[in-house]
Amino acid sequence: MTVSEAAGEASVDRLRAWRGGPRLGTAYYNEYLPDPSRLETDLRLMSEAGITCIRVGESVWSTWEPRDGEFDLEWLTPVLDGAHAHGIDVILGTPTYAVPPWLAAKHPEVAVARKDGSTVPWGGRQEVDYTSGTFLRYAERVIRAVLGRHGRHPAIVGVQLDNEAGLHLIHNEHVVARFRRWVAGRYGDVDTLNREWGLTYWSHRIADWDELWAPAGNTTPAYDLAWRRFQAELTAEFIGWQAGIARELVEPDTFLTTCIAYQRPAMDDVAIGAALDIASGNAYYLAQESLDLDRTGAGGQWYADDVPQLILSVDRMRGTQQAPFLVTETGAASIGPAWLTRPPYDGQLAQAAWLMVARGARLVSYWHWHTLHSGAEVHWGGILGHDLAPGRIHGEIAGIGRQFAAAAEWLADAEPDADVALVHAHDSEWMMQFEPPLSAGGDAPDRASYGRIVGAFGRAAVDAGRQIAHVNERQLPSAADLARRYPVVIVAGLVAASDRTLDVLAEYARLGGRLIVGPRTGYGDEEGRMRASTAPAVLGPAAGVRYREFAALAEPVAVETASGASSGEPAAASGHAHGWMDALEADGAEVLLRFRHPHYGRWAAVTRRAAGEGAITVVGTLLDRSLLAAVMTDAAGPASIVSPLAARPSTVTAHSLVGGRGRVWVVHNWSGSPCTVRLRRAVASVVDDTAHGEDADVELAPWDVRIWSEA
């Protein structure tokens, strides 16, 4: 073996070991402290809490380069040296998302131009057009300076490239010109574009590429979908560009990542993930009563405001690469501005941390170490408060650290189970932002419609006791592979779908899968056009259903079992539909639920039909939570991964991972009240010496989490 081969093998081993997890981390900004000389105190307190990784340096370009071309690179050295001495690993960020004032003043042209022609004023962060050649020259210079000085420090295990990229859709003139070239390269000639986008409408046909109008005035759905795809490519290209520079300046075993904010408008997480060694992102949530599983939050925020949303957010992180991931930021004492200050109740920090680990997180890192004393985030509560003294939050996180250490043998390289795949599609999300099917109240459109639709079906899977894997539409494997991996697949809101995607889903059902189809799926094609065929395209014949009409529901509409609707007998199941309805007509399918309404009563709300070895359930509307959970439970069939719980109260979830020592169950009581679970199999804790036998009744305390192996 050559020296280079040995080094390469060692780097793979180190990365594999680091990914083994789980670990605790925090963002640490010694430079923000009123007294930076307390470094040793902070590192000692971190070690006492079991924190073994810190994230540094990504938001202070003006500290690295206080004046144009004048660098101060040594201020971080004591932090890196001290961390290394304490056995704390470091993720070093490139500072490109927060430009210094001298750069903004010298080159105002690098500011992001908005749709209306105004520019984003300097004074926050991420105001810059990161496709600008001018900006990229300065960015490369500071990246090379910072990583050239510190990239090979022995404390550095990873580099975070930028931070939360994709905040703005960039409308600068050179970007719009580049978009025209991008469209020309994609479609080849204007006649093809005119046909594919339907530009005869409203006299939008173009005769030359220069006639393609700017996005500010656009009203064509296909144009907007192309624009959003293009913007997401720019973001992925920017992260990939940074990765190429960073790789030259760090050790071979140093991983590259970026902190993904999954709600960013110019962000395709799968495309970004392709440039990374390991994906990472934000997992923010509201605590207190928002973590009661019986609560249904509003949704559509940058944070989760109920338990299913939190579960879905971390499952989506794993879906970025279909692999373990890092939680770069999650809340410690509180998140966001003062009016969102809801510090977690006792036990809730451990609940959230163990949920993240249960779904594949190798690092749970808190934003941030100390609550800031100045700036925009002074109410974003850290592990230490403004007095910088360890208190309740530090003590609870130290308890999590002890649990992580005790469970390390069981959880090393463990992979989360999943018995349901939830399909997510950026294209459909972008289409629904352009033309939302749901209302935000009154005449206002809800541009979070896609998230509401997919989230409702994901919540129903959680309520049905299933474990979810997010699968991006771009990641869909063959139908045979899909059937081997997941007994159940949910696809809802897939309004922009290619024939290939729909064919895979239909074949998946024929091969034995249980396919659950939600509203709007298969109505449009991959270009953002409405199909000239009976809906739902491709899936309709296999599902034995079709629809020609649909409606945005101004008020909830009653639904009931088909037998109750047709015979006048009491309904076996009833509830309400809201938001949207596809007017389903059974064409060989069994009608399970109908609308109870003088007009809508002629149509089905839910149908099912056997398809080959499997079945397709079509839910043409949004149902109330309990009814959709019942439909999901019935449609999904018997669970393929059976938990050790013989009976599961409504506030309890059970997630599992499988590692070298076997399966581990993470059981939560998401409630402020205690509850009792009965076991069907014996279990033993992997964090202490407790054990419970078969048929035992185990009381779970309020906001409790247990980590059990099966005896």
Side-chain angles (χ1 to χ4, degrees):
M1 180 183 295
T2 67
V3 172
S4 61
E5 288 172 336
E9 210 170 276
S11 70
V12 170
D13 287 344
R14 183 181 175 195
L15 180 57
R16 185 183 298 124
W18 203 90
R19 280 178 165 175
R23 303 178 66 172
L24 281 179
T26 186
Y28 181 59
Y29 305 113
N30 179 259
E31 65 276 20
Y32 288 174
L33 284 161
D35 179 13
S37 68
R38 59 172 280 130
L39 171 63
E40 182 61 29
T41 298
D42 287 330
L43 294 173
R44 175 180 54 79
L45 290 173
M46 289 178 201
S47 295
E48 291 174 1
I51 290 171
T52 61
C53 181
I54 58 175
R55 169 186 174 220
V56 303
E58 85 283 351
S59 60
V60 286
W61 187 338
S62 64
T63 301
W64 291 114
E65 190 179 4
R67 283 167 287 279
D68 186 2
E70 179 183 316
F71 292 95
D72 179 2
L73 304 174
E74 298 309 315
W75 62 270
L76 189 64
T77 303
V79 177
L80 300 181
D81 290 346
H84 187 57
H86 282 265
I88 296 174
D89 290 335
V90 178
I91 299 173
L92 174 59
T94 63
T96 47
Y97 90 115
V99 301
W102 59 259
L103 177 54
K106 185 175 183 178
H107 293 286
E109 73 276 10
V110 304
V112 169
R114 298 188 180 106
K115 182 177 181 178
D116 63 3
S118 66
T119 56
V120 178
W122 190 89
R125 58 180 182 172
Q126 297 175 288
E127 311 96 336
V128 71
D129 167 14
Y130 47 64
T131 72
S132 159
T134 299
F135 168 75
L136 292 174
R137 286 194 297 275
Y138 286 99
E140 180 170 1
R141 187 173 72 179
V142 73
I143 292 169
R144 290 192 178 277
V146 172
L147 295 187
R149 173 64 183 89
H150 297 295
R152 290 188 168 89
H153 191 285
I156 302 294
V157 295
V159 171
Q160 179 187 304
L161 310 166
D162 201 75
N163 184 57
E164 300 175 352
L167 177 61
H168 298 288
L169 301 179
I170 304 171
H171 290 75
N172 297 60
E173 286 186 12
H174 74 99
V175 174
V176 175
R178 182 175 169 183
F179 174 63
R180 292 190 180 99
R181 296 192 296 272
W182 183 88
V183 172
R186 187 180 182 93
Y187 293 94
D189 59 77
V190 292
D191 289 337
T192 300
L193 182 75
N194 288 329
R195 182 179 66 252
E196 294 297 299
W197 285 9
L199 297 186
T200 300
Y201 179 75
W202 278 0
S203 194
H204 284 156
R205 292 179 63 86
I206 64 173
D208 187 86
W209 291 114
D210 288 341
E211 295 178 3
L212 185 63
W213 57 96
N218 178 58
T219 58
T220 299
Y223 180 118
D224 187 74
L225 182 56
W227 174 245
R228 296 298 296 273
R229 287 169 171 166
F230 169 72
Q231 288 284 324
E233 283 188 18
L234 296 181
T235 303
E237 178 184 274
F238 176 56
I239 297 300
W241 172 81
Q242 288 212 26
I245 297 170
R247 185 51 70 199
E248 301 174 21
L249 302 170
V250 297
E251 297 294 343
D253 58 350
T254 300
F255 65 79
L256 303 183
T257 191
T258 189
C259 183
I260 299 174
Y262 284 79
Q263 297 79 20
R264 292 295 196 239
M267 192 280 302
D268 179 333
D269 60 295
V270 173
I272 289 174
L276 308 176
D277 296 315
I278 188 167
S280 62
N282 297 345
Y284 284 117
Y285 60 93
L286 285 187
Q288 301 188 4
E289 268 63 38
S290 293
L291 291 185
D292 189 319
L293 185 53
D294 287 337
R295 181 184 187 277
T296 302
Q301 310 293 327
W302 55 267
Y303 52 82
D305 62 353
D306 64 28
V307 173
Q309 288 179 61
L310 178 57
I311 294 171
L312 295 175
S313 71
V314 292
D315 279 317
R316 185 172 174 190
M317 289 185 190
R318 189 177 192 284
T320 295
Q321 294 180 325
Q322 297 299 326
F325 59 95
L326 313 178
V327 176
T328 328
E329 295 182 16
T330 190
S334 61
I335 63 171
W339 63 271
L340 276 183
T341 301
R342 299 178 195 171
Y345 295 149
D346 293 343
Q348 289 185 332
L349 280 171
Q351 285 194 304
W354 275 109
L355 172 67
M356 294 168 195
V357 169
R359 305 317 298 151
R362 297 301 195 242
L363 172 71
V364 177
S365 185
Y366 294 97
W367 178 267
H368 35 80
W369 173 244
H370 76 280
T371 309
L372 299 180
H373 298 83
S374 57
E377 296 172 325
V378 294
H379 286 94
W380 208 305
I383 297 173
L384 304 184
H386 285 129
D387 64 0
L388 302 176
R392 179 178 70 94
I393 300 299
H394 180 271
E396 290 205 27
I397 289 173
I400 298 168
R402 289 190 292 271
Q403 289 183 331
F404 279 10
E409 238 182 276
W410 281 90
L411 296 175
D413 298 317
E415 292 286 338
D417 287 316
D419 50 7
V420 172
L422 182 66
V423 177
H424 182 275
H426 287 291
D427 289 347
S428 293
E429 182 175 25
W430 295 332
M431 275 195 69
M432 287 193 185
Q433 287 174 354
F434 186 72
E435 182 109 39
L438 304 182
S439 167
D443 295 329
D446 186 351
R447 302 201 184 277
S449 290
Y450 181 77
R452 277 179 58 190
I453 293 170
V454 175
F457 281 78
R459 179 183 289 114
V462 171
D463 289 343
R466 298 310 176 102
Q467 301 189 66
I468 299 168
H470 262 81
V471 178
N472 194 286
E473 182 196 6
R474 308 195 204 294
Q475 300 168 324
L476 277 179
S478 69
D481 284 345
L482 198 60
R484 277 192 291 270
R485 296 181 198 177
Y486 306 109
V488 181
V489 169
I490 302 169
V491 55
L494 194 66
V495 68
S498 67
D499 284 355
R500 185 263 174 189
T501 292
L502 299 175
D503 283 334
V504 166
L505 294 170
E507 180 64 13
Y508 161 81
R510 284 190 284 268
L511 292 174
R514 290 175 172 263
L515 180 64
I516 300 169
V517 178
R520 297 269 74 192
T521 298
Y523 198 81
D525 67 10
E526 71 275 19
E527 290 289 341
R529 302 169 298 195
M530 301 299 101
R531 292 173 179 268
S533 60
T534 303
V538 181
L539 294 175
V545 71
R546 65 190 176 199
Y547 67 92
R548 296 182 174 88
E549 294 189 42
F550 46 80
L553 300 178
E555 301 291 340
V557 176
V559 295
E560 61 187 3
T561 56
S563 58
S566 60
S567 66
E569 299 172 358
S574 62
H576 288 85
H578 59 91
W580 184 268
M581 62 159 286
D582 295 333
L584 302 179
E585 303 171 18
D587 186 19
E590 176 189 3
V591 176
L592 303 182
L593 290 175
R594 284 192 179 278
F595 296 99
R596 189 170 71 240
H597 187 273
H599 178 73
Y600 297 138
R602 71 194 74 186
W603 291 306
V606 181
T607 66
R608 182 174 305 140
R609 184 189 191 190
E613 299 297 315
I616 303 177
T617 301
V618 179
V619 183
T621 187
L622 296 175
L623 300 170
D624 63 70
R625 181 172 176 177
S626 61
L627 185 54
L628 187 53
V631 169
M632 184 69 63
T633 300
D634 183 52
S640 60
I641 306 167
V642 180
S643 86
L645 307 183
R648 185 178 61 86
S650 66
T651 60
V652 172
T653 60
H655 291 96
S656 57
L657 308 90
V658 179
R661 295 193 60 181
R663 180 170 275 119
V664 173
W665 286 92
V666 180
V667 177
H668 287 83
N669 175 29
W670 302 99
S671 172
S673 300
C675 69
T676 300
V677 296
R678 173 158 291 182
L679 300 179
R680 61 162 54 96
R681 298 191 298 276
V683 298
S685 173
V686 303
V687 299
D688 57 36
D689 296 328
T690 60
H692 307 281
E694 182 181 351
D695 295 327
D697 288 332
V698 180
E699 182 170 297
L700 303 181
W703 315 116
D704 201 357
V705 58
R706 305 291 181 91
I707 304 90
W708 290 331
S709 66
E710 297 195 35

